[in-house]
C-alpha cells in the first residue's frame, strides 16, 4: 500500500491499521506530506470553516513540586526566579483578554502546593462569576479525582494534561521515579468521567521518542478519545538535563497534526507556541496542516520570561493587545479569521 492510498483511507474512515499508521510515521516525500496536509485542511475547513478559536493562556505560577527532565520550571532548576500571580492579577489578565475578545481562559502552571483546592476553587468561582460566558480550562497537572471534581463544580470546563508519551519505558526516561504513566492515564480517565472536555498530548521529538512510541500515542488517543490534543515540538531548555539534546522537528510536528486531524475530525487542535518558536511561520503552518486553535499569552509581561518551559520562547515582550493584533494579521494573511466564541468541542457553526 502506498502512502497516498493510506492517507485516502484515513481520510475516509478516520482510522487505518497499526501497520499503516507506522508507515505514515516513516519516510515520506514532500509531495505526499503536502497531500496529507491538504486532506487535513479539508477536514478542518469542513468542521470549522475558516474560523480559528482563541484560548488566552495565563501562566499563573512557575513553582512546581515535580522534576520532569525536559521542563524548565522543574523543581531542581535553581536558575529560575519563582513567581505566582495573585487572584487580582489573574482576574485582571482575564479582563484584558475578555476585552480583546477571548472567551476561554487557560490557567496553566507548575504543580504549586501553595494553591490549595480551596484557593483554586475560589479563583475558578470568581473568574466564572465575572465572566459567565467564558470557558475555564485548567492545566495544573496531576490531582486526585476528588480535587478534579471540586474544580469542576466550582466552574472549570476543560482540562489539559498531556500524557507526554504512552510508552512506559519512554515515560520513565522523561520523568523522575516518583511519577508514573499509570497515574497520568488514570488522571485523564478521571477527568473524562467527571465531564470535563479533556486534552492529552505529547512533545514531538522528545528525547528517546521513536516512531514506535508515537504509534502507541496514536493508539492511546484512540482509546481515550480526547476533545483536545496539544502537540508541539520538544525544545531544549538550558537548565534541564536534556539541554544537549536536539529540538523536535517542525515538519514532523506538522505531519502529526495532519494525521491527528484525520483521525479526530472534530478535535480541538492548537498550533502551539512551541511550533511558533522553532519556525517564525510555525503557527500559520500548523493551521494549514489542520490545527484550529491558537493560545496566545495573557500573562503579565513582568512574569513571561520566568515561565521558561523551554528556551527562546516567543511573545515574551509584547502586551496582550499587541500579540493579539499581530496574530489577527497573520491569520488573515492565510485566509482564516479569529472568532470571539468559547469554541467548545462539537460546537456547531451556523
Ligand atoms: N504542570 C502542568 C503544565 C505543564 S506545562 C502539567 O503537568 O500538565 C505544559 C506542557 O509543556 C507540558 O505538558 C509539556 O508537554 C510542555 N513542555 C514542557 N517542557 C517542554 C519543552 N522543553 N519543550 C517543549 N514543550 C515542553
Amino acid at each position: 500500500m502506498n502512502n497516498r492510498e493510506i492517507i485516502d483511507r484515513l481520510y475516509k474512515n478516520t482510522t487505518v491499521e497499526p501497520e499503516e499508521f507506522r508507515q505514515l510515521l516513516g519516510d515520506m516525500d514532500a509531495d505526499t506530506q503536502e497531500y496529507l496536509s491538504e486532506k487535513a485542511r479539508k477536514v478542518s475547513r469542513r468542521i470549522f470553516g475558516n474560523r480559528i478559536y482563541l484560548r488566552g493562556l495565563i501562566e499563573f505560577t512557575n513553582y512546581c513540586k515535580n522534576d520532569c527532565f525536559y521542563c524548565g520550571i522543574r523543581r531542581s532548576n535553581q536558575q529560575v526566579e519563582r513567581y505566582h500571580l495573585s487572584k487580582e492579577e489573574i482576574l485582571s489578565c482575564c479582563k484584558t483578554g475578555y476585552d480583546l475578545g477571548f472567551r476561554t481562559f487557560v490557567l496553566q502552571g507548575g504543580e504549586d502546593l501553595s494553591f490549595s483546592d480551596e484557593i483554586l476553587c475560589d479563583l475558578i468561582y470568581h473568574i466564572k462569576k465575572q465572566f459567565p460566558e467564558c470557558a475555564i480550562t485548567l492545566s495544573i497537572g496531576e490531582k486526585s479525582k476528588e480535587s478534579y471534581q471540586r474544580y469542576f463544580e466550582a466552574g472549570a470546563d476543560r482540562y489539559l494534561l498531556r500524557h507526554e508519551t504512552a510508552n512506559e519505558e519512554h515515560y520513565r526516561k522523561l520523568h523522575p521515579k516518583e511519577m508514573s504513566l499509570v497515574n497520568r492515564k488514570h488522571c485523564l480517565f478521571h477527568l473524562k468521567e467527571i465531564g470535563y472536555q479533556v486534552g492529552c498530548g505529547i512533545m514531538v521529538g522528545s528525547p528517546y521518542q521513536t516512531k514506535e512510541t508515537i504509534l502507541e500515542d496514536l493508539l492511546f488517543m484512540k482509546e481515550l478519545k480526547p476533545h483536545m490534543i496539544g502537540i508541539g515540538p520538544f525544545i531544549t531548555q538550558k537548565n534541564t538535563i536534556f539541554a544537549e539534546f536536539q529540538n523536535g522537528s517542525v515538519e514532523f510536528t506538522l505531519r502529526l497534526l495532519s494525521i491527528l486531524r484525520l483521525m479526530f475530525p472534530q478535535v480541538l487542535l492548537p498550533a502551539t507556541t512551541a511550533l511558533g518558536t522553532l519556525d517564525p511561520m510555525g503557527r500559520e503552518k500548523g493551521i494549514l496542516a489542520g490545527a484550529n486553535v491558537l493560545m496566545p499569552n495573557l500573562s503579565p509581561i513582568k512574569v513571561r520570561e520566568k515561565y521558561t518551559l523551554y528556551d527562546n520562547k516567543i511573545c515574551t515582550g509584547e502586551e496582550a493587545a499587541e500579540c493579539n493584533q499581530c496574530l489577527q494579521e497573520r491569520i488573515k494573511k492565510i485566509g482564516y479569521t479569529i472568532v470571539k466564541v468559547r469554541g467548545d468541542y462539537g460546537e456547531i457553526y451556523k
Side-chain angles (χ1 to χ4, degrees), residues 25-123:
L25 298 173
D27 292 339
M28 186 181 278
D29 60 48
D31 282 353
T32 312
Q33 175 127 348
E34 181 47 35
Y35 182 74
L36 171 64
S37 171
E38 271 168 32
K39 288 282 185 201
R41 194 151 68 230
K42 207 166 149 185
V43 173
S44 61
R45 282 272 180 170
R46 186 177 80 222
I47 308 282
F48 305 103
N50 68 345
R51 302 171 6 127
I52 299 297
Y53 297 145
L54 280 190
R55 283 49 169 117
L57 186 62
I58 304 171
E59 301 157 333
F60 71 103
T61 174
N62 72 350
Y63 283 88
C64 194
K65 74 172 173 61
N66 288 335
D67 213 21
C68 307
F69 300 156
Y70 44 84
C71 183
I73 62 167
R74 62 201 300 254
R75 167 183 83 219
S76 62
N77 180 7
Q78 298 187 348
Q79 307 303 316
V80 68
E81 195 187 320
R82 304 286 168 170
Y83 74 90
H84 33 220
L85 301 180
S86 67
K87 179 171 156 186
E88 290 66 36
E89 285 172 312
I90 296 170
L91 282 165
S92 140
C93 294
C94 296
K95 173 80 173 74
T96 306
Y98 186 86
D99 291 341
L100 291 168
F102 289 74
R103 294 294 177 268
T104 293
F105 305 119
V106 182
L107 296 178
Q108 190 181 82
E111 293 195 24
D112 180 345
L113 296 173
S114 74
F115 282 87
S116 62
D117 284 356
E118 207 175 345
I119 295 175
L120 285 166
C121 287
D122 175 73
L123 180 63

Side-chain angles (χ1 to χ4, degrees), residues 164-226:
E164 315 294 359
T165 173
N167 176 280
E168 285 282 354
E169 202 180 322
H170 185 210
Y171 194 91
R172 283 195 297 272
K173 288 184 174 160
L174 299 178
H175 300 98
K177 276 197 292 295
E178 63 272 18
M179 293 180 73
S180 82
L181 176 59
V182 171
N183 191 49
R184 197 108 182 145
K185 285 185 174 176
H186 276 157
C187 288
L188 284 163
F189 285 104
H190 287 155
L191 290 161
K192 271 206 111 179
E193 281 160 24
I194 292 168
Y196 283 95
Q197 292 170 52
V198 176
C200 65
I202 62 168
M203 294 175 288
V204 181
S206 63
Y208 311 106
Q209 186 179 60
T210 63
K211 302 276 184 283
E212 288 306 308
T213 65
I214 298 177
L215 177 61
E216 289 182 54
D217 291 318
L218 298 182
L219 300 178
F220 169 67
M221 291 185 207
K222 272 180 65 164
E223 181 193 341
L224 178 69
K225 301 189 184 63

Side-chain angles (χ1 to χ4, degrees), residues 161-300:
L161 185 73
R162 291 190 179 176
H163 62 288
E164 315 294 359
T165 173
N167 176 280
E168 285 282 354
E169 202 180 322
H170 185 210
Y171 194 91
R172 283 195 297 272
K173 288 184 174 160
L174 299 178
H175 300 98
K177 276 197 292 295
E178 63 272 18
M179 293 180 73
S180 82
L181 176 59
V182 171
N183 191 49
R184 197 108 182 145
K185 285 185 174 176
H186 276 157
C187 288
L188 284 163
F189 285 104
H190 287 155
L191 290 161
K192 271 206 111 179
E193 281 160 24
I194 292 168
Y196 283 95
Q197 292 170 52
V198 176
C200 65
I202 62 168
M203 294 175 288
V204 181
S206 63
Y208 311 106
Q209 186 179 60
T210 63
K211 302 276 184 283
E212 288 306 308
T213 65
I214 298 177
L215 177 61
E216 289 182 54
D217 291 318
L218 298 182
L219 300 178
F220 169 67
M221 291 185 207
K222 272 180 65 164
E223 181 193 341
L224 178 69
K225 301 189 184 63
H227 306 93
M228 312 175 276
I229 301 174
I231 67 163
F234 163 74
I235 305 176
T236 58
Q237 206 286 344
K238 57 183 183 304
N239 304 314
T240 64
I241 60 172
F242 291 154
E244 303 302 323
F245 277 77
Q246 295 249 311
N247 289 337
S249 134
V250 169
E251 287 306 308
F252 197 67
T253 305
L254 296 172
R255 194 196 305 181
L256 276 177
L257 282 171
S258 298
I259 291 174
L260 292 169
R261 173 57 69 212
L262 295 182
M263 291 175 71
F264 306 99
Q266 306 226 36
V267 85
L268 299 160
L269 197 58
T272 55
T273 305
L275 195 54
T277 295
L278 287 192
D279 180 332
M281 291 295 283
R283 286 169 301 175
E284 289 91 329
K285 289 180 183 173
I287 288 171
L288 294 170
N292 74 309
V293 172
L294 288 169
M295 299 176 68
N297 202 322
L298 287 179
S299 313

